[in-house]
Amino acid sequence: MNHGAKPNRAEGVRPTAASTSGLSEQLIWRQVFFEAVQHPATLLPFAVCVLAGVFLLLVSPLLGGGLWAVALLAASVLGFVAGFVIRYRAEYRERADVLIHIREEDQARLEQEATERLKESLRAGFLNIGSSRGSKALQELIGEYEPLVPLISERRDTDSLSMAALPSMATEIYRQGLNILSNALPVMSAIQRPEIERLEGEVAEMEKEIRKLEGDDSQRERLTIKKDTLMSHKERLGLLGQLKLREDQLLHQSGRCAASLHRTRIELSSIRAGGSA
């Protein structure tokens, strides 16, 4: 991994990804604090401080030498504090920065892998249910984001500070679009066009039969059954209609994400062209 202009001495203490993936920033600072305390430059004065305190409390009342014990205790405390501050500021703060930086890179990598898995899962899901609308919306989103990646990854001296937020913003819009499509997938799976057409055909056929049966008193029981079945079919068609509306809403939102990425790509290209000029 490239960590920018980190000093070389930090390279020797760089941990593995597995050692930082589960650490919060607070835990990292706590780990660095305890390592600073346990360093020989701080541990030795601390040990002297403890021995001087024990001598002052237990031995000096019997054998004397209390003033020397106090002086040694004060000197060891100062040595402990000075050693801790020097080591902590000079080396361990730098190491904490390295740990936090690596952790952020690990998190970004894990999020990218999760995004790729979601993309492939959606691609397979839309293909499995035969949804051309879902596949088209997914391809549109991917087609707008992937050409944007090299643009937002490139750093130039002419770039403004506001452009530093573009990578995270564009990636978040892309992930939002994928999440929207992941919500649309089960909706589309529930809406099968052959099923809707079958229900609509049966409704039309039952309405014809009901009109014929309404004039025959001997078919009153059959008429009741047909009307109940017709009502059930219409309720199912109503539910499918609501799902269809939900599908349209989700695809519209996904399209807005794709359009936002498209505008970002155009504006970024314009900004880069202006900066070069």
Side-chain angles (χ1 to χ4, degrees):
M1 294 183 182
N2 181 17
H3 301 291
K6 295 292 182 184
N8 291 334
R9 62 177 175 173
E11 301 293 334
V13 294
R14 190 171 292 175
T16 62
S19 64
T20 61
S21 59
L23 291 179
S24 65
E25 185 170 340
Q26 182 179 4
L27 289 177
I28 288 175
W29 282 109
R30 187 180 303 173
Q31 176 185 344
V32 169
F33 173 83
F34 283 117
E35 290 182 1
V37 171
Q38 296 171 10
H39 192 276
T42 54
L43 193 59
L44 182 59
F46 178 75
V48 174
C49 178
V50 171
L51 293 176
V54 172
F55 182 86
L56 180 64
L57 294 176
L58 301 180
V59 179
S60 62
L62 300 177
L63 302 179
L67 292 178
W68 289 102
V70 170
L72 183 60
L73 179 63
S76 61
V77 169
L78 290 176
F80 171 77
V81 173
F84 173 77
V85 170
I86 292 173
R87 300 299 302 182
Y88 184 73
R89 288 185 176 179
E91 179 176 346
Y92 288 100
R93 285 184 61 87
E94 176 187 321
R95 184 168 186 266
D97 291 340
V98 172
L99 286 168
I100 293 171
H101 184 71
I102 292 177
R103 189 203 60 174
E104 291 173 351
E105 286 190 344
D106 292 340
Q107 290 178 340
R109 175 181 54 80
L110 292 174
E111 290 176 356
Q112 182 178 1
E113 291 175 354
T115 301
E116 286 297 313
R117 288 194 299 270
L118 178 58
K119 181 186 74 173
E120 294 304 323
S121 175
L122 288 172
R123 196 195 303 274
F126 290 132
L127 182 63
N128 185 48
I129 65 175
S131 175
S132 58
R133 297 185 70 194
S135 298
K136 181 180 178 182
L138 177 61
Q139 190 55 45
E140 180 182 5
L141 192 65
I142 296 172
E144 293 296 344
Y145 176 71
E146 289 186 348
L148 188 58
V149 172
L151 292 177
I152 60 180
S153 299
E154 183 181 358
R155 296 288 187 271
R156 295 184 181 180
D157 295 336
T158 55
D159 288 344
S160 63
L161 294 176
S162 61
M163 291 182 63
L166 273 178
S168 59
M169 289 175 59
T171 302
E172 182 60 27
I173 292 173
Y174 176 61
R175 287 173 181 160
Q176 285 182 1
L178 292 179
N179 288 330
I180 290 170
L181 290 179
S182 69
N183 292 329
L185 179 58
V187 175
M188 294 179 177
S189 179
I191 305 173
Q192 297 296 330
R193 187 61 192 172
E195 178 68 11
I196 296 177
E197 293 176 351
R198 182 185 67 81
L199 289 173
E200 290 175 343
E202 290 181 0
V203 165
E205 186 66 26
M206 280 187 288
E207 286 177 342
K208 292 180 182 179
E209 294 179 3
I210 288 173
R211 285 194 294 268
K212 292 179 182 180
L213 294 173
E214 284 177 342
D216 190 349
D217 291 340
S218 64
Q219 300 293 329
R220 186 172 300 173
E221 185 175 352
R222 184 184 296 274
L223 178 62
T224 302
I225 294 174
K226 288 291 183 180
K227 286 183 176 180
D228 289 342
T229 305
L230 177 62
M231 183 180 297
S232 175
H233 276 46
K234 287 184 175 181
E235 288 177 354
R236 291 170 63 186
L237 284 173
L239 292 174
L240 290 173
Q242 293 177 8
L243 287 177
K244 186 65 176 176
L245 176 61
R246 180 58 176 163
E247 173 188 335
D248 293 339
Q249 292 172 341
L250 291 171
L251 290 180
H252 174 66
Q253 293 175 10
S254 173
R256 291 182 61 184
C257 290
S260 179
L261 291 173
H262 182 73
R263 288 194 301 269
T264 301
R265 183 152 54 95
I266 293 176
E267 292 172 1
L268 181 57
S269 299
S270 177
I271 291 172
R272 285 278 167 81
S276 299

